[in-house]
Amino acid sequence: MGEKEYYYLQQEVSMKTRLTFLICLVTFAASLACTSSARAIEGYPGSSWGELRQDFPISKSNAHNNLFLQGWVEQGIDWKKWGNFYLNTYATLRYKWDSQALDYNNSIGPGAGVGISYISPKGDNIKLGCEYIYDQYFRNGDTEQKIVLYMRWFTYWNLKK
C-alpha cells in the first residue's frame, strides 16, 4: 500500500470513527428521553437556517454570477431550565453549495454541541456554546474538523406594533 492510499484509508477510518461517535451521542440522548428521566427534560428544541442567493456582480473583473446555498439544521434537548436560561445539547447538519464549484463553498457535515440559551419573553434568543464541526468538502474530497466557541442571536421586531 502506497503512502497516498494509506493517507486516504486513515482519513476514511477517522471519519467513520467520528460519525460513529456522533451517532452514539445522539442515540444516548434519545435513550435518555425515552426513560423515566424524560420527565426532567425541559424540551426538544430544533431550528434551521438557510439562505439561497444569486450573486450578480456589478464589476466585470474576475467576478462571475454565482448561485449559493448554505444553512444548517439542528435538533437538541433542553436538560435544565433556570428562569429564561436553558442548558442544551444538540446534533447539527451544516451544508454549503455554489454553482461556481468553489472548494470552500461545497461542503456538508455533521456536528454536535452544548450551549446555554437565553430566550426572552419577547422571543429574543441568545445562545453561547461550544460545537464540534466535521466538514466534508465534496468537490475535492478534503475534510476539516474544528471545535468552535460561539455566540448566536436572533431577534425580531415590527416597527408598526
Side-chain angles (χ1 to χ4, degrees):
M1 176 180 303
E3 190 174 315
K4 188 175 183 180
E5 290 85 9
Y6 181 71
Y7 171 78
Y8 286 118
L9 180 61
Q10 280 182 318
Q11 290 293 332
E12 185 177 329
V13 169
S14 181
M15 183 176 131
K16 287 180 181 177
T17 302
R18 286 179 191 84
L19 189 55
T20 301
F21 173 74
L22 181 63
I23 291 169
C24 289
L25 180 67
V26 171
T27 303
F28 175 70
S31 69
L32 287 176
C34 296
T35 65
S36 61
S37 64
R39 289 174 289 214
I41 292 174
E42 299 291 336
Y44 301 99
S47 60
S48 68
W49 171 84
E51 176 184 46
L52 176 64
R53 73 172 190 248
Q54 174 70 49
D55 295 338
F56 298 102
I58 295 173
S59 69
K60 298 292 181 191
S61 64
N62 276 349
H64 302 284
N65 290 344
N66 191 15
L67 183 63
F68 183 69
L69 172 69
Q70 70 176 343
W72 49 260
V73 178
E74 180 179 297
Q75 181 60 56
I77 299 173
D78 284 339
W79 297 99
K80 186 75 176 158
K81 179 181 178 183
W82 305 276
N84 292 335
F85 291 88
Y86 297 84
L87 173 63
N88 176 266
T89 58
Y90 60 90
T92 185
L93 178 69
R94 297 175 176 280
Y95 56 90
K96 289 184 189 177
W97 175 86
D98 79 342
S99 62
Q100 291 295 311
L102 302 170
D103 288 339
Y104 56 87
N105 273 346
N106 288 276
S107 67
I108 190 165
V114 61
I116 301 284
S117 296
Y118 170 76
I119 302 173
S120 78
K122 295 187 327 181
D124 301 333
N125 187 322
I126 299 171
K127 187 172 186 179
L128 300 167
C130 178
E131 183 175 322
Y132 167 80
I133 299 172
Y134 179 89
D135 280 323
Q136 173 73 46
Y137 294 89
F138 48 87
R139 298 276 184 192
N140 64 10
D142 287 348
T143 60
E144 181 180 61
Q145 301 172 62
K146 55 190 162 191
I147 294 178
V148 297
L149 299 175
Y150 65 86
M151 181 172 111
R152 294 183 197 142
W153 61 91
F154 171 81
T155 190
Y156 171 80
W157 59 86
N158 182 336
L159 295 176
K160 189 172 179 179
K161 291 183 180 188

